[in-house]
Amino acid sequence: MSSAGDARPRAGTRYGVVEGRVEEDGVSVFRGIPYAAPPVGALRFAAPRPPAAWDGVRDAGAFGPTAPKVPYRDPYAALLADPEIPGDGCLNLNVWTPEPSRRARLPVMVWIHGGALTRGSSAVPVYDGAAFARDGVVLVSLNYRLGVLGYGVFPDAPANRGLLDQIAALAWVRDNIEAFGGDPDRVTVFGESAGAISVGALLAAPGAAGLFAGAVMQSGPPEVLPRERTRPLVRRMASLLKVPATAKAFGAVALPGLLAAQEAVLRRSGPVTGGAAFGLIADPDSLPGDPTAAAAASSVPLLLGWTAEEHRLWLAPTGTMRVLDRLGPLAVELARVRSGKDRADVRALRTALPGAGPADLAGHLLTDRLLRDPLRRLAGARRAAPSHVYEFRWPSGVPGLGACHALELGFVFDTLHKPQSAWLAGPEAPQALADEMHAAWVRFAVEGDPGWAPWDGDGPPKVFGGPSWEERDAQRAVGVTP
């Protein structure tokens, strides 16, 4: 509808015309486009409904409302940016494109943010899509319902509403992305942490079939939680709120009270400590069967991986690393039992990580069990399409964080210049590593191949930001700890 050179480019959707902005490098950006109706009133706990059409031209110059959530508490608020934008219409998305024209037919990447399914949004500055558009990819990022609104289990509401929101956004991409220069047949969906878990679910969800042709899972395996781990959260919230544990009753509670109750029941839960949590559950309508098996059988090319020290984001900022180091061998044994590992696994880990203290050993045991081992098994089980596996090893410049969970995001998006990237990475993150990693993600979207050999079930992953496995073995042979 408009050329990429227009200061206010326009694009037509099925619901009306939107007007974006042209920013650096001539990239056109459309923000805050509704892909579903605001989930308020009777729709608070309903499946997403189509947005209302509008007349005239809708301004798409600013991010739309974020999903209702509770902010990060210290110390995480100083490490993880999480803007909060008020408003009812949180089911919105953003599009970065080098050419908002139907003739462009460019590959598309759709980003699903992380945040334990309780925090995060598409407005996080680290997720700016300009670098992808600069490099010829149409980048879409989306918001979806979080916490009890998206994943609370009720007898009178559909399950996995946040996943249904993501499917609705992907359907919007299928139906509208051509107007923004994208090819609906060349869509890659990617996410990190809870976003990666969501990608795994999308590989298994019947409603998402045919909506994407490639997938990227960063630090999150396919999983469903047992109902006995998710259902108690709604019951505990109902007790605090003094209402029945039904969607109808929760729908009558004012949002601030609902979020306060959610925060109270989640205080003792965490990715390493476990406990009740909001998450995806097996559901005959939205997510039947085992998502890991579905992902293994999928013919969709897959890029997946992890960071070398995932656990340090969860343990170091809170001082838990120091506590575990003081516990010494007891911490390692408790982690071994909790992770289901045997003593041979501990011995192998000590060999692989000479000089690692009890906290690091315990953290590795738990995150291997929860994250890395399931991803390795998934990659090894796939036969119908290739899996490309990576490990991110560059250590943060922030003391204690190492190569922690979420650190790779500023490199993947090539947004190290954003101040918020430095919150987690420190002030001198290597741009050359961002160039390498971002280029691999772009190549995967364009060609279905990030530039290294598919996983063979046994070999080493592609390493970003550290010595290769061969170099590390050579260092160990001469007594150097990598």
Side-chain angles (χ1 to χ4, degrees):
M1 181 172 291
S2 298
S3 71
D6 293 337
R8 294 290 183 95
R10 293 180 179 180
T13 76
R14 290 192 173 189
Y15 307 102
V17 177
V18 292
E19 183 176 80
R21 303 290 187 273
V22 174
E23 299 187 351
E24 191 174 353
D25 294 326
V27 169
S28 295
V29 189
F30 301 81
R31 296 182 173 92
I33 305 171
Y35 68 83
V40 296
L43 299 184
R44 179 183 276 186
F45 294 101
R49 308 283 176 83
W54 59 87
D55 295 324
V57 178
R58 182 187 183 104
D59 184 66
F63 287 113
T66 52
K69 58 190 172 180
V70 175
Y72 285 111
R73 291 181 292 172
D74 290 335
Y76 292 104
L79 297 171
L80 302 169
D82 195 14
E84 186 172 353
I85 302 172
D88 292 333
C90 66
L91 300 185
N92 60 72
L93 52 75
N94 320 292
V95 182
W96 285 260
T97 176
E99 187 178 351
S101 165
R102 290 184 180 276
R103 65 178 178 271
R105 305 289 291 185
L106 298 168
V108 181
M109 296 190 77
V110 178
W111 172 248
I112 301 177
H113 69 80
L117 300 178
T118 56
R119 294 180 172 91
S121 78
S122 65
V124 173
V126 178
Y127 307 153
D128 187 286
F132 280 104
R134 175 200 68 202
D135 294 332
V137 174
V138 177
L139 192 286
V140 179
S141 62
L142 61 99
N143 294 330
Y144 56 97
R145 279 173 287 183
L146 303 170
V148 69
L149 299 171
Y151 300 94
V153 180
F154 297 98
D156 55 340
N160 301 323
R161 294 172 299 280
L163 179 67
L164 296 179
D165 294 342
Q166 295 164 11
I167 293 171
L170 285 168
W172 184 97
V173 169
R174 176 197 62 200
D175 296 339
N176 297 280
I177 204 63
E178 278 189 88
F180 298 84
D183 184 345
D185 295 323
R186 300 171 68 197
V187 174
T188 297
V189 62
F190 70 131
E192 184 268 345
S193 193
I197 292 170
S198 299
V199 171
L202 289 167
L203 286 165
L211 294 179
F212 55 94
V216 183
M217 300 171 64
Q218 300 171 214
S219 299
E223 68 174 23
V224 290
L225 299 182
R227 285 179 181 255
E228 58 266 25
R229 189 175 170 196
T230 57
R231 180 65 176 156
L233 288 172
V234 168
R235 294 196 183 106
R236 293 171 195 169
M237 289 180 65
S239 178
L240 290 173
L241 295 167
K242 297 180 170 52
V243 300
T246 64
K248 180 179 180 181
F250 274 48
V253 176
L255 206 52
L258 204 62
L259 292 176
Q262 174 179 296
E263 183 180 28
V265 302
L266 285 175
R267 277 182 188 145
R268 295 187 178 181
S269 297
V272 172
T273 57
F278 289 113
L280 293 153
I281 62 170
D283 171 67
D285 296 319
S286 59
L287 193 54
D290 176 9
T292 299
S298 170
S299 60
V300 171
L302 187 58
L303 169 60
L304 71 163
W306 50 81
T307 71
E309 298 171 295
E310 301 272 3
H311 61 280
R312 281 185 167 263
L313 179 65
W314 306 317
L315 301 179
T318 59
T320 307
M321 294 283 288
R322 293 192 297 272
V323 173
L324 294 175
D325 277 334
R326 286 198 297 269
L327 287 173
L330 177 60
V332 179
E333 178 63 11
L334 290 173
R336 184 193 69 78
V337 172
R338 186 178 183 87
S339 67
K341 300 276 190 173
D342 58 32
R343 288 185 170 84
D345 293 319
V346 177
R347 290 193 294 272
L349 187 62
R350 289 187 188 278
T351 300
L353 301 171
D360 271 322
L361 292 172
H364 274 287
L365 286 168
L366 289 167
T367 52
D368 274 353
R369 171 76 172 189
L370 295 171
L371 193 158
R372 284 186 288 259
D373 287 351
L375 288 174
R376 289 187 187 102
R377 286 195 297 270
L378 170 60
R382 283 167 52 84
R383 298 292 181 269
S387 295
H388 299 269
V389 182
Y390 73 89
E391 179 174 280
F392 181 85
R393 285 199 195 152
W394 181 80
S396 170
V398 177
L401 289 184
C404 70
H405 190 69
L407 181 58
E408 88 283 6
L409 290 170
F411 296 83
V412 167
F413 278 86
D414 191 11
T415 50
L416 296 181
H417 59 284
K418 299 283 185 181
Q420 294 82 0
S421 285
W423 295 5
L424 198 62
E428 296 182 358
Q431 180 60 44
L433 180 56
D435 294 342
E436 180 190 9
M437 201 167 194
H438 174 74
W441 264 240
V442 169
R443 178 171 168 172
F444 184 75
V446 175
E447 302 178 16
D449 177 354
W452 64 88
W455 178 260
D456 64 5
D458 187 41
K462 160 70 177 177
V463 173
F464 287 102
S468 70
W469 288 80
E470 293 80 5
E471 291 168 335
R472 189 171 73 168
D473 289 342
Q475 289 172 345
R476 285 193 191 126
V478 297
V480 176
T481 301

